[in-house]
Each structure stands twice: as structure tokens, then as C-alpha cells.
Amino acid sequence: MKVVILAGGLGTRISEESHLRPKPMIEIGGRPILWHIMKIYAHHGFNDFIVCLGYKGYVVKEYFDHYLLHESDVTYDFRNSERSVKKIHRHQAEPWRVTLVDTGMDTMTGGRLKRIAPYLEDETFMLTYGDGLTDLNLQQLLHYHRAHGKLATVTAVQPVGRFGTLIMNEDQSVATFAEKPRGDGHWVSGGFFVLEPDMLAHIDGDDTMLEREPLERLADAGELKAYRHTGFWQSMDTMRDKALLEERWRTGGAPWKIWNRDSI
């Protein structure tokens, strides 16, 4: 099954880093967040990726073009004056198939998805954004999608609030204090979709945002189901988010690291 990753946006809310590289290439623990997302999918057996590029897409292409070199031990032998010899010894390359597609600088999320339709081969596919991490069981998500038979499934999450919550009595004494509670009772889209190819008919063109008309139409038609995920989910929208994810990775408390705990 193919996994589509939207990686073409500007990332304006984290411009301190995105002015140099696309948001999915911003690093957590020395690796692009895109790599972390792909490791999550690969852990569940999904290794065929289509990455939708736009802003500074060449950075993503260069990363994967040199991926084997980055993941290997290498000997360069310059003793022959006419040519150097490069020998790759040990590598940790992933069993991934990665298709990188330029979907335009200014194309909206729905438009990017429409543009890569020829690569989907008219099959059920997964979709996510290039900035969200989770410990979601993707096989269970897929099973849920296939069981209900609708065109689209979106993962619903309750993000942790930024501030502590106070519940006060009439005399202003604090009845309950919750430090950074999980949302305010509302569920939001965490991305991590499973979609049928027929849903592409609801996307008009490059100017279509997936999160507006297409999903609204599917919801109105009863073709959009939500899969509730109560575990870890965190997007990287700001430098504050990046710092939080970096700290969790550094201290060994990264819930999204569901692959081999003894590896990188």
C-alpha cells in the first residue's frame, strides 16, 4: 500500500528554520521529521512512499539521493592519482521505495494529492502531513477503514493544551488543577488518513484545500469516518513544538519511536 506524504508547504509558523529548508526536513535528533514519519509507517509494514514536493523540494531530493552514503561507513582511497576509489562497508539503508513528485510551489493540499493520482494505481492509500508524529497503530487504522467501507478515514486526536486548567468554586478556591490537560474535550484532525481513490473526484484542482471542500463533501455524503486515537500525537508547527520533540528524543522518551528501541 502506498503512503502519500504532503511535504510542499512553506511552514511559515516555523520560519526560523523553514527559510533554509522545507518543514519536513527540519531535524529532530539529527534526522528530518520526514524520516521519523517514514520510520513509523515502515514499522507497520508500509514502505512504499510518495512524497509531494513544493517549496525547496530539491532539498528532499538531495537528501534521498545521498541517503545510502549518509547511512554507511565509507572508505575513500585517493592513492591512485588518476582516480579515487569509494568503498561502502556497512549501511543501514531502509527497505523503502520513495517516489518524489514536484507538485508545484503554490499548490494547495488537495491539489497536491490530485497531481500524484497517476502514481496511486487506483488503489486504497494512506496520507499524512510532513510534520506530525504519533504512536498510532497504522494496521489497526487500516483495519477500521476497511471494515466500515467508506471512502475516507481521518485520525481524530485530542492534543495536549498549552496551559494548565483551573476549575474554581464560587469562593474562588481551586477545586481542580490540571497541568496541560488533553485538549478541551474536542477532537481534531491529526492527519493520518486512509483514502479510497474515488475520493479524488471531490478535488477540483490546484487551488483546492483537502481540509475544506473535499472533506466537507465527504462528510456531508456520510463517506468520512473518524478513528479515535487516544495515544501520543504531536505536530511540529512552531519552534516551541520542535524544542519539545527534541527534548523527548534526547531524553529517550519519544513515544513515536515505535521501531526497534535498540536502533537509531
Side-chain angles (χ1 to χ4, degrees):
M1 177 173 290
K2 290 179 170 53
V3 178
V4 179
I5 303 176
L6 297 171
L10 294 175
T12 54
R13 284 186 289 180
I14 194 168
S15 59
E16 297 93 334
E17 291 227 21
S18 64
H19 75 286
L20 296 172
R21 48 192 165 182
K23 187 177 178 182
M25 294 303 293
I26 296 173
E27 294 182 352
I28 302 296
R31 304 287 183 114
I33 193 170
L34 177 62
W35 177 88
H36 292 261
I37 294 167
M38 294 169 74
K39 288 286 283 186
I40 293 168
Y41 276 98
H43 173 76
H44 291 288
F46 304 106
N47 292 293
D48 194 350
F49 300 95
I50 301 171
V51 184
C52 300
L53 305 179
Y55 172 70
K56 294 188 182 294
Y58 65 89
V59 176
V60 183
K61 289 182 178 179
E62 289 175 355
Y63 174 75
F64 283 107
D65 192 49
H66 296 90
Y67 188 82
L68 182 61
L69 180 64
H70 294 162
E71 300 297 319
S72 306
D73 293 337
V74 185
T75 295
Y76 292 93
D77 190 343
F78 299 105
R79 290 175 294 183
N80 187 322
S81 60
E82 295 182 1
R83 63 183 180 89
S84 63
V85 177
K86 179 177 72 175
K87 182 178 180 181
I88 296 178
H89 302 283
R90 180 188 60 83
H91 65 81
Q92 298 177 7
E94 309 290 343
W96 296 343
R97 182 176 185 264
V98 185
T99 302
L100 305 174
V101 184
D102 183 355
T103 54
M105 271 289 296
D106 302 316
T107 309
M108 297 292 101
T109 49
R112 294 189 191 281
L113 183 54
K114 189 89 167 185
R115 284 201 183 196
I116 57 93
Y119 297 96
L120 296 174
E121 301 175 357
D122 201 32
E123 297 176 350
T124 305
F125 62 97
M126 292 189 166
L127 169 72
T128 195
Y129 304 99
D131 63 358
L133 298 173
T134 185
D135 60 359
L136 172 67
N137 187 316
L138 292 161
Q139 286 288 353
Q140 290 181 5
L141 172 66
L142 178 59
H143 177 77
Y144 174 82
H145 174 81
R146 286 176 168 162
H148 65 61
K150 304 298 183 180
L151 290 181
T153 300
V154 59
T155 300
V157 299
Q158 290 183 298
V160 175
R162 289 190 60 182
F163 306 103
T165 297
L166 296 177
I167 298 177
M168 293 176 285
N169 298 317
E170 290 184 4
D171 65 355
Q172 307 307 310
S173 61
V174 176
T176 304
F177 178 87
E179 172 64 12
K180 296 182 180 178
R182 183 172 293 279
D184 55 4
H186 295 293
W187 293 85
V188 302
S189 169
F192 294 95
F193 298 86
V194 185
L195 303 170
E196 296 299 324
D198 287 349
M199 67 79 55
L200 296 174
H202 293 276
I203 301 174
D204 297 324
D206 283 0
D207 294 332
T208 304
M209 290 188 66
L210 175 67
E211 304 78 10
R212 292 184 181 172
E213 291 89 351
L215 292 183
E216 289 171 359
R217 291 170 186 167
L218 289 170
D220 290 342
E223 290 291 337
L224 177 63
K225 298 279 282 186
Y227 179 84
R228 295 191 183 195
H229 176 60
T230 57
F232 174 81
W233 177 87
Q234 176 69 56
S235 64
M236 187 185 67
D237 289 325
T238 65
M239 288 300 292
R240 175 182 177 274
D241 297 331
K242 171 180 160 57
L244 290 172
L245 292 171
E246 280 277 14
E247 179 64 13
R248 299 197 76 159
W249 182 267
R250 185 187 66 80
T251 59
W256 70 90
K257 189 179 183 294
I258 54 178
W259 56 92
N260 185 353
R261 300 287 176 175
D262 295 327
S263 64
I264 294 175

